[in-house]
Short mmCIF file of all heavy atoms in Angstrom, two decimals:
data_model
loop_
_atom_site.label_atom_id
_atom_site.label_comp_id
_atom_site.label_asym_id
_atom_site.label_seq_id
_atom_site.Cartn_x
_atom_site.Cartn_y
_atom_site.Cartn_z
N ALA D 607 -0.19 -6.55 2.32
CA ALA D 607 -0.15 -7.93 1.75
C ALA D 607 -1.56 -8.51 1.70
O ALA D 607 -1.76 -9.49 0.90
CB ALA D 607 0.64 -8.75 2.72
N MET D 614 -9.71 -1.91 0.78
CA MET D 614 -10.22 -0.73 1.72
C MET D 614 -9.54 0.57 1.46
O MET D 614 -10.12 1.63 1.45
CB MET D 614 -10.02 -1.10 3.22
CG MET D 614 -11.03 -2.22 3.67
SD MET D 614 -10.66 -2.63 5.45
CE MET D 614 -12.19 -3.50 5.81
N ALA D 616 -8.27 1.39 -1.46
CA ALA D 616 -8.80 1.90 -2.75
C ALA D 616 -10.11 2.57 -2.46
O ALA D 616 -10.50 3.67 -2.98
CB ALA D 616 -8.95 0.76 -3.70
N LYS D 641 -10.48 -4.82 12.77
CA LYS D 641 -9.05 -5.45 12.81
C LYS D 641 -8.27 -5.03 11.61
O LYS D 641 -7.08 -4.64 11.73
CB LYS D 641 -9.13 -6.90 12.92
CG LYS D 641 -9.64 -7.43 14.29
CD LYS D 641 -9.73 -8.92 14.37
CE LYS D 641 -10.24 -9.37 15.78
NZ LYS D 641 -10.41 -10.80 15.81
N ARG D 659 -20.54 8.23 17.68
CA ARG D 659 -20.17 6.76 18.03
C ARG D 659 -19.43 6.11 16.80
O ARG D 659 -19.11 4.96 16.83
CB ARG D 659 -21.48 6.02 18.27
CG ARG D 659 -22.13 6.44 19.53
CD ARG D 659 -23.41 5.75 19.81
NE ARG D 659 -23.17 4.36 19.80
CZ ARG D 659 -24.10 3.41 19.71
NH1 ARG D 659 -25.39 3.82 19.48
NH2 ARG D 659 -23.89 2.17 19.70
N ASP D 672 7.70 6.13 1.43
CA ASP D 672 8.86 5.21 1.61
C ASP D 672 8.69 3.93 0.79
O ASP D 672 9.70 3.46 0.27
CB ASP D 672 8.97 4.88 3.19
CG ASP D 672 9.44 6.02 4.00
OD1 ASP D 672 10.06 6.91 3.46
OD2 ASP D 672 9.24 5.99 5.28
N LEU D 695 21.06 -7.62 -27.55
CA LEU D 695 20.37 -8.32 -28.63
C LEU D 695 20.51 -7.65 -29.97
O LEU D 695 20.62 -8.30 -30.98
CB LEU D 695 18.84 -8.45 -28.27
CG LEU D 695 18.50 -9.32 -27.10
CD1 LEU D 695 17.08 -9.25 -26.70
CD2 LEU D 695 18.86 -10.81 -27.45
#
Side-chain angles (χ1 to χ4, degrees):
M614 286 179 166
K641 287 179 182 179
R659 294 179 57 199
D672 287 339
L695 288 173

